[in-house]
Amino acid sequence: MRVGVTTFAPLSPASNTSTVKSTAFSPVDYVVFTLLLVLSLAIGLYHACRGWGRHTIGQLQMADRKMGCLPVALSLLATFQSAVAILGVPSEIYRFGTQYWFLGCSYFLGLLIPAHIFIPVFYRLHLTSAYEYLELRFNKTVRVCGTITFIFQMVIYMGVVLYAPSLALNAVTGFDIWLSVLTLGIVCTVYTALGGLKAVIWTDVFQTLVMFLGQLAVIIVGSAKVGGLERVWDVASQHGRISGIELDPDPFVRHTFWTLAFGGVFMMLSLYGVNQAQVQRYLSSRTEKAAILSCYAVFPCQQVVLCMSCLIGLVMFTYYKEYPMSTQQSEAAPDQFVLYFVMDLLRGLPGLPGLFVACLFSGSLSTISSAFNSLATVTMEDLVRPWFPQFSEARATMLSRILACSYGLLCLGMAYISSQMGPVLQAAISIFGMVGGPLLGLFCLGMFFPCANPPGAVVGLLAGLIMAFWIGIGSIVTRMGSGTVPLPLNGSHFSLPSNLSTIAMTTPMPSTTLSRPTGLQRLYSLSYMWYSAHNSTTVIVVGLLVSLLTGGMRGRTLNPRTIYPVVPKLLALLPVSCQKRLRCKSHSQGLFGDTTVLPEKMSNGMLKGIRDKEAVAEPIKGPLHPGSSPTFIVQETSL
């Protein structure tokens, strides 16, 4: 689920692409491309057949929680690197310069925070679904709200990420659109449903290597044809494509250092901190340390991927300075620039065009299979098992496979709907980015604010979604109502047909020919890189206000393992003398009322805190969370 940047232009008519279609692919290229699909399917079937009949629901959903650091890290990277990012980022660099590279600065905090905050909390709770956390922290209603929001987000996403790359590929190489869609959908569905998470992770590893090889081949061949990387840099510098650090703090400017480096942190947190597709991989690690190391291992890999994408864009710019585009290419959608460039560059080198197309489809396969698996898991764990706890292991395993297959069929249906939606598709795709920020805000509200209660969580989530839809849809409606040709939009994961742009977090790009927007128009032009931050902040602020108005956690139970102790962590950084002066009651009691504690699984710090006080423990009456330990209320008494 990578955020790339692509924009729009009408697709070239089929007749204009006949030359490219007839000469782009050789038999060797078809063999290379077919090998990708066959090997991906073989890896999945291997893990499906291995131990057939003895598979458990834990194996399908969590790979028995025995995965190592490296495969998990590569799977995290593959899930993040979608096919449209492979097309979109080089196109962004080609058209606007290297300013987008500063997004890499956000990777540090965007991965450091999940590694040391989100992963420890989720891992120690022994979760399967990230939204299970919401029930432990709030209640079942909040959990269901979070789950339904995520399902809605991913179902919209699946159809577009399957259909759009196939459409762009058809326009350039002549691949039949629906043959591409069906091939991707069926291959993904088979190995995801049968092999489960382990099959998805190991196929992601293979597909990541294919993506690296495909992009590397383009860089090597392209730089060799234009005179080397030094010449690439010189030509790009002469034509202003090497961007400096733009320190404009205006949040309505599309790309500046601040929007990319800091606004991007929130975008990264919504992807790597609370997204089920990523959280599920962390939790499949054999130890908490392995999960944290996998998050750290993604950082250098992401930097390499970003630099490779930027290099492809610069090589493409230099290449077309020496070999100008044809009329057909210059009229194509920017999403297709990279494909046209690759077919121009690698024509006459049998196997390499097929390798790049395999690279492109690897991005789609890894992203879609992750979506299938995470959707099947949250549906099973959040919507089925809580209501039917009597399911046997065999029935639960079979149902999990059926759910994965069902989402595969739904994905194909959404791809068809995407092809029929026309201008409405722009609004539909915006939903993906609109939902990420509010979900991040919901988890942050629960994890960092012990006074937040269930009513505050529900109202905050609704407020965040309303704000997201208001700005996102409002910007689109305003553009449509203006009667002018739409401006290029800030984009993300998607490559769209006809005159539509690619967006996940949608914000109009400021125009140099129109007057500066004012009022609501100004609000609608908020840079998409601040979109997640804006919506998650809305959830937190509204959630806290409603929680305080409804009495906070007074009279409710609070599991301290669902809270990240921000204040104690900050106090620990102060000198000991200051700590003694500022020492206050633990967040587990005092300001926030009685607290739910799971004694035998408490961290050492929590146990030490209780030993320092006289505590009276009495069992809590009522049903426990499935699989949880005996629960007690710990009440402090004065020494």
Side-chain angles (χ1 to χ4, degrees), residues 248-579:
D248 188 347
D250 187 352
F252 299 98
V253 175
R254 179 173 178 261
H255 281 167
T256 68
F257 175 79
W258 305 113
T259 59
L260 290 163
F262 290 95
V265 170
F266 290 88
M267 178 196 73
M268 291 291 294
L269 290 178
S270 68
L271 291 172
Y272 276 94
V274 300
N275 187 282
Q276 171 65 21
Q278 310 293 56
V279 170
Q280 197 168 336
R281 280 152 179 72
Y282 299 142
L283 300 177
S284 70
S285 302
R286 61 171 61 98
T287 63
E288 181 182 326
K289 183 178 180 180
I292 293 173
L293 286 176
S294 69
C295 198
Y296 270 87
V298 173
F299 177 73
C301 295
Q302 280 185 331
Q303 296 292 349
V304 171
V305 167
L306 181 60
C307 288
M308 289 176 69
S309 296
C310 290
L311 275 176
I312 291 175
L314 294 178
V315 169
M316 181 166 62
F317 180 83
T318 305
Y319 180 87
Y320 283 124
K321 283 298 176 184
E322 295 192 10
Y323 310 97
M325 287 184 179
S326 65
T327 304
Q328 159 195 341
Q329 291 170 322
S330 61
E331 292 177 354
D335 295 336
Q336 299 170 3
F337 286 175
V338 177
L339 278 169
Y340 275 116
F341 167 62
V342 169
M343 296 307 155
D344 279 347
L345 181 69
L346 303 181
R347 185 180 289 114
L349 298 172
L352 291 186
L355 177 62
F356 186 80
V357 172
C359 159
L360 189 66
F361 273 62
S362 291
S364 289
L365 284 167
S366 61
T367 303
I368 297 167
S369 61
S370 299
F372 288 172
N373 187 253
S374 59
L375 282 167
T377 298
V378 298
T379 304
M380 185 68 190
E381 292 299 315
D382 298 332
L383 302 181
V384 176
R385 277 198 152 184
W387 305 102
F388 302 98
Q390 72 279 9
F391 265 20
S392 65
E393 190 74 16
R395 291 181 65 187
T397 302
M398 180 58 66
L399 181 57
S400 182
R401 287 197 170 108
I402 292 173
L403 286 171
C405 287
S406 301
Y407 279 116
L409 295 175
L410 181 59
C411 177
L412 293 174
M414 287 302 301
Y416 177 75
I417 292 173
S418 296
S419 70
Q420 303 295 317
M421 288 179 72
V424 181
L425 181 59
Q426 181 166 312
I429 299 171
S430 305
I431 294 170
F432 182 83
M434 293 175 189
V435 172
L439 282 177
L440 171 64
L442 181 62
F443 279 90
C444 290
L445 180 67
M447 203 167 291
F448 302 133
F449 300 95
C451 60
N453 61 18
V458 173
V459 176
L461 177 62
L462 291 175
L465 289 172
I466 290 170
M467 181 65 73
F469 276 69
W470 175 33
I471 295 178
I473 301 297
S475 64
I476 298 172
V477 171
T478 300
R479 289 288 168 192
M480 291 180 176
S482 65
T484 60
V485 178
L487 294 173
L489 299 183
N490 292 310
S492 84
H493 316 262
F494 310 100
S495 171
L496 306 186
S498 189
N499 62 338
L500 300 180
S501 80
T502 64
I503 47 180
M505 292 160 281
T506 311
T507 311
M509 186 176 73
S511 170
T512 57
T513 59
L514 298 180
S515 59
R516 194 176 185 86
T518 58
L520 287 180
Q521 303 289 337
R522 177 75 165 158
L523 181 62
Y524 295 151
S525 65
L526 179 70
S527 172
Y528 74 98
M529 296 305 299
W530 289 112
Y531 207 71
S532 184
H534 178 264
N535 297 329
S536 57
T537 301
T538 300
V539 174
I540 293 171
V541 171
V542 174
L544 286 176
L545 287 174
V546 173
S547 296
L548 293 174
L549 291 174
T550 54
M553 288 298 290
R554 189 176 298 112
R556 295 181 171 91
T557 58
L558 175 67
N559 185 341
R561 294 192 303 146
T562 62
I563 300 293
Y564 184 81
V566 178
V567 174
K569 293 283 186 180
L570 293 176
L571 289 177
L573 300 176
L574 299 176
V576 176
S577 58
C578 294
Q579 291 184 39

Side-chain angles (χ1 to χ4, degrees), residues 44-67 128 189-202 276 280-281 283-284 369-370 372-378 380-381 385 392-405:
L45 291 177
Y46 168 77
H47 288 287
C49 297
R50 191 180 179 187
W52 183 264
R54 301 191 303 274
H55 288 166
T56 64
I57 191 69
Q59 288 175 324
L60 284 181
Q61 294 179 345
M62 305 303 296
D64 265 348
R65 302 182 192 265
K66 293 180 180 178
M67 295 304 299
T128 298
T189 300
V190 170
Y191 75 70
T192 303
L194 297 181
L197 183 61
K198 184 176 288 188
V200 171
I201 289 177
W202 283 111
Q276 171 65 21
Q280 197 168 336
R281 280 152 179 72
L283 300 177
S284 70
S369 61
S370 299
F372 288 172
N373 187 253
S374 59
L375 282 167
T377 298
V378 298
M380 185 68 190
E381 292 299 315
R385 277 198 152 184
S392 65
E393 190 74 16
R395 291 181 65 187
T397 302
M398 180 58 66
L399 181 57
S400 182
R401 287 197 170 108
I402 292 173
L403 286 171
C405 287

